[in-house]
PDB file of all heavy atoms in Angstrom:
ATOM      1  N   ILE C  52     334.984  17.866 -73.391  1.00  0.00           N
ATOM      2  CA  ILE C  52     333.877  16.960 -73.075  1.00  0.00           C
ATOM      3  C   ILE C  52     332.588  17.767 -73.181  1.00  0.00           C
ATOM      4  O   ILE C  52     332.449  18.814 -72.550  1.00  0.00           O
ATOM      5  CB  ILE C  52     334.023  16.428 -71.632  1.00  0.00           C
ATOM      6  CG1 ILE C  52     335.358  15.702 -71.447  1.00  0.00           C
ATOM      7  CG2 ILE C  52     332.850  15.539 -71.264  1.00  0.00           C
ATOM      8  CD1 ILE C  52     335.780  15.576 -69.991  1.00  0.00           C
ATOM      9  N   ALA C  53     331.656  17.261 -73.988  1.00  0.00           N
ATOM     10  CA  ALA C  53     330.391  17.991 -74.141  1.00  0.00           C
ATOM     11  C   ALA C  53     329.427  17.593 -73.034  1.00  0.00           C
ATOM     12  O   ALA C  53     329.243  16.410 -72.755  1.00  0.00           O
ATOM     13  CB  ALA C  53     329.784  17.683 -75.504  1.00  0.00           C
ATOM     14  N   PHE C  54     328.849  18.583 -72.379  1.00  0.00           N
ATOM     15  CA  PHE C  54     327.788  18.310 -71.396  1.00  0.00           C
ATOM     16  C   PHE C  54     326.809  19.470 -71.424  1.00  0.00           C
ATOM     17  O   PHE C  54     327.176  20.600 -71.742  1.00  0.00           O
ATOM     18  CB  PHE C  54     328.365  18.097 -69.983  1.00  0.00           C
ATOM     19  CG  PHE C  54     329.156  19.270 -69.435  1.00  0.00           C
ATOM     20  CD1 PHE C  54     328.527  20.250 -68.680  1.00  0.00           C
ATOM     21  CD2 PHE C  54     330.521  19.374 -69.646  1.00  0.00           C
ATOM     22  CE1 PHE C  54     329.254  21.319 -68.162  1.00  0.00           C
ATOM     23  CE2 PHE C  54     331.260  20.442 -69.145  1.00  0.00           C
ATOM     24  CZ  PHE C  54     330.616  21.426 -68.398  1.00  0.00           C
ATOM     25  N   ASP C  55     325.551  19.178 -71.103  1.00  0.00           N
ATOM     26  CA  ASP C  55     324.517  20.210 -71.090  1.00  0.00           C
ATOM     27  C   ASP C  55     324.558  20.960 -69.769  1.00  0.00           C
ATOM     28  O   ASP C  55     324.726  20.356 -68.701  1.00  0.00           O
ATOM     29  CB  ASP C  55     323.133  19.565 -71.240  1.00  0.00           C
ATOM     30  CG  ASP C  55     322.586  19.706 -72.648  1.00  0.00           C
ATOM     31  OD1 ASP C  55     322.910  20.715 -73.292  1.00  0.00           O
ATOM     32  OD2 ASP C  55     321.837  18.811 -73.079  1.00  0.00           O
ATOM     33  N   HIS C  56     324.379  22.249 -69.825  1.00  0.00           N
ATOM     34  CA  HIS C  56     324.328  23.056 -68.615  1.00  0.00           C
ATOM     35  C   HIS C  56     323.828  24.423 -69.020  1.00  0.00           C
ATOM     36  O   HIS C  56     323.941  24.813 -70.174  1.00  0.00           O
ATOM     37  CB  HIS C  56     325.721  23.189 -67.998  1.00  0.00           C
ATOM     38  CG  HIS C  56     326.660  23.964 -68.878  1.00  0.00           C
ATOM     39  ND1 HIS C  56     327.011  25.259 -68.627  1.00  0.00           N
ATOM     40  CD2 HIS C  56     327.258  23.642 -70.048  1.00  0.00           C
ATOM     41  CE1 HIS C  56     327.810  25.698 -69.592  1.00  0.00           C
ATOM     42  NE2 HIS C  56     327.979  24.735 -70.463  1.00  0.00           N
ATOM     43  N   ASP C  57     323.227  25.154 -68.112  1.00  0.00           N
ATOM     44  CA  ASP C  57     322.890  26.535 -68.450  1.00  0.00           C
ATOM     45  C   ASP C  57     322.854  27.412 -67.198  1.00  0.00           C
ATOM     46  O   ASP C  57     323.798  28.138 -66.938  1.00  0.00           O
ATOM     47  CB  ASP C  57     321.574  26.613 -69.244  1.00  0.00           C
ATOM     48  CG  ASP C  57     321.470  27.914 -70.035  1.00  0.00           C
ATOM     49  OD1 ASP C  57     322.506  28.540 -70.279  1.00  0.00           O
ATOM     50  OD2 ASP C  57     320.351  28.309 -70.418  1.00  0.00           O
ATOM     51  N   CYS C  58     321.812  27.284 -66.391  1.00  0.00           N
ATOM     52  CA  CYS C  58     321.663  28.255 -65.292  1.00  0.00           C
ATOM     53  C   CYS C  58     322.695  28.058 -64.194  1.00  0.00           C
ATOM     54  O   CYS C  58     323.087  28.991 -63.524  1.00  0.00           O
ATOM     55  CB  CYS C  58     320.253  28.191 -64.713  1.00  0.00           C
ATOM     56  SG  CYS C  58     319.988  26.822 -63.569  1.00  0.00           S
ATOM     57  N   ARG C  59     323.132  26.833 -64.006  1.00  0.00           N
ATOM     58  CA  ARG C  59     324.086  26.488 -62.943  1.00  0.00           C
ATOM     59  C   ARG C  59     323.608  26.904 -61.567  1.00  0.00           C
ATOM     60  O   ARG C  59     324.401  27.263 -60.705  1.00  0.00           O
ATOM     61  CB  ARG C  59     325.468  27.073 -63.247  1.00  0.00           C
ATOM     62  CG  ARG C  59     326.061  26.481 -64.514  1.00  0.00           C
ATOM     63  CD  ARG C  59     327.554  26.549 -64.527  1.00  0.00           C
ATOM     64  NE  ARG C  59     328.098  25.893 -65.718  1.00  0.00           N
ATOM     65  CZ  ARG C  59     329.365  25.588 -65.872  1.00  0.00           C
ATOM     66  NH1 ARG C  59     330.224  25.867 -64.929  1.00  0.00           N
ATOM     67  NH2 ARG C  59     329.785  24.998 -66.966  1.00  0.00           N
ATOM     68  N   GLU C  60     322.303  26.932 -61.377  1.00  0.00           N
ATOM     69  CA  GLU C  60     321.803  27.122 -60.024  1.00  0.00           C
ATOM     70  C   GLU C  60     320.629  26.201 -59.735  1.00  0.00           C
ATOM     71  O   GLU C  60     319.820  26.488 -58.861  1.00  0.00           O
ATOM     72  CB  GLU C  60     321.496  28.595 -59.744  1.00  0.00           C
ATOM     73  CG  GLU C  60     320.560  29.271 -60.735  1.00  0.00           C
ATOM     74  CD  GLU C  60     320.419  30.771 -60.462  1.00  0.00           C
ATOM     75  OE1 GLU C  60     321.396  31.500 -60.680  1.00  0.00           O
ATOM     76  OE2 GLU C  60     319.345  31.194 -60.013  1.00  0.00           O
ATOM     77  N   GLY C  61     320.534  25.120 -60.489  1.00  0.00           N
ATOM     78  CA  GLY C  61     319.604  24.058 -60.115  1.00  0.00           C
ATOM     79  C   GLY C  61     318.159  24.260 -60.511  1.00  0.00           C
ATOM     80  O   GLY C  61     317.282  23.638 -59.942  1.00  0.00           O
ATOM     81  N   ILE C  62     317.888  25.105 -61.487  1.00  0.00           N
ATOM     82  CA  ILE C  62     316.478  25.335 -61.801  1.00  0.00           C
ATOM     83  C   ILE C  62     316.145  25.104 -63.269  1.00  0.00           C
ATOM     84  O   ILE C  62     315.004  24.783 -63.591  1.00  0.00           O
ATOM     85  CB  ILE C  62     316.050  26.748 -61.323  1.00  0.00           C
ATOM     86  CG1 ILE C  62     314.534  26.926 -61.313  1.00  0.00           C
ATOM     87  CG2 ILE C  62     316.700  27.836 -62.172  1.00  0.00           C
ATOM     88  CD1 ILE C  62     313.841  26.214 -60.228  1.00  0.00           C
ATOM     89  N   CYS C  63     317.120  25.220 -64.185  1.00  0.00           N
ATOM     90  CA  CYS C  63     316.748  25.128 -65.603  1.00  0.00           C
ATOM     91  C   CYS C  63     316.567  23.680 -66.036  1.00  0.00           C
ATOM     92  O   CYS C  63     315.869  23.413 -67.002  1.00  0.00           O
ATOM     93  CB  CYS C  63     317.759  25.845 -66.488  1.00  0.00           C
ATOM     94  SG  CYS C  63     319.334  24.993 -66.694  1.00  0.00           S
ATOM     95  N   GLY C  64     317.216  22.748 -65.322  1.00  0.00           N
ATOM     96  CA  GLY C  64     317.062  21.337 -65.668  1.00  0.00           C
ATOM     97  C   GLY C  64     317.931  20.879 -66.826  1.00  0.00           C
ATOM     98  O   GLY C  64     317.772  19.784 -67.329  1.00  0.00           O
ATOM     99  N   SER C  65     318.869  21.732 -67.261  1.00  0.00           N
ATOM    100  CA  SER C  65     319.717  21.352 -68.403  1.00  0.00           C
ATOM    101  C   SER C  65     320.723  20.279 -68.035  1.00  0.00           C
ATOM    102  O   SER C  65     320.937  19.339 -68.774  1.00  0.00           O
ATOM    103  CB  SER C  65     320.499  22.566 -68.926  1.00  0.00           C
ATOM    104  OG  SER C  65     319.634  23.530 -69.436  1.00  0.00           O
ATOM    105  N   CYS C  66     321.386  20.463 -66.895  1.00  0.00           N
ATOM    106  CA  CYS C  66     322.485  19.564 -66.585  1.00  0.00           C
ATOM    107  C   CYS C  66     321.955  18.239 -66.065  1.00  0.00           C
ATOM    108  O   CYS C  66     320.861  18.160 -65.540  1.00  0.00           O
ATOM    109  CB  CYS C  66     323.435  20.194 -65.568  1.00  0.00           C
ATOM    110  SG  CYS C  66     322.732  20.422 -63.923  1.00  0.00           S
ATOM    111  N   GLY C  67     322.748  17.212 -66.211  1.00  0.00           N
ATOM    112  CA  GLY C  67     322.348  15.916 -65.706  1.00  0.00           C
ATOM    113  C   GLY C  67     323.395  14.895 -66.075  1.00  0.00           C
ATOM    114  O   GLY C  67     323.587  14.589 -67.244  1.00  0.00           O
ATOM    115  N   LEU C  68     324.117  14.425 -65.081  1.00  0.00           N
ATOM    116  CA  LEU C  68     325.130  13.416 -65.325  1.00  0.00           C
ATOM    117  C   LEU C  68     324.906  12.280 -64.337  1.00  0.00           C
ATOM    118  O   LEU C  68     324.472  12.515 -63.204  1.00  0.00           O
ATOM    119  CB  LEU C  68     326.526  13.998 -65.105  1.00  0.00           C
ATOM    120  CG  LEU C  68     326.877  15.247 -65.922  1.00  0.00           C
ATOM    121  CD1 LEU C  68     328.223  15.786 -65.489  1.00  0.00           C
ATOM    122  CD2 LEU C  68     326.888  14.919 -67.405  1.00  0.00           C
TER     123      LEU C  68
END
Side-chain angles (χ1 to χ4, degrees):
Chain C
I52 302 160
F54 59 91
D55 258 329
H56 66 104
D57 201 20
C58 80
R59 297 205 176 193
E60 54 186 69
I62 194 73
C63 74
S65 296
C66 67
L68 304 174

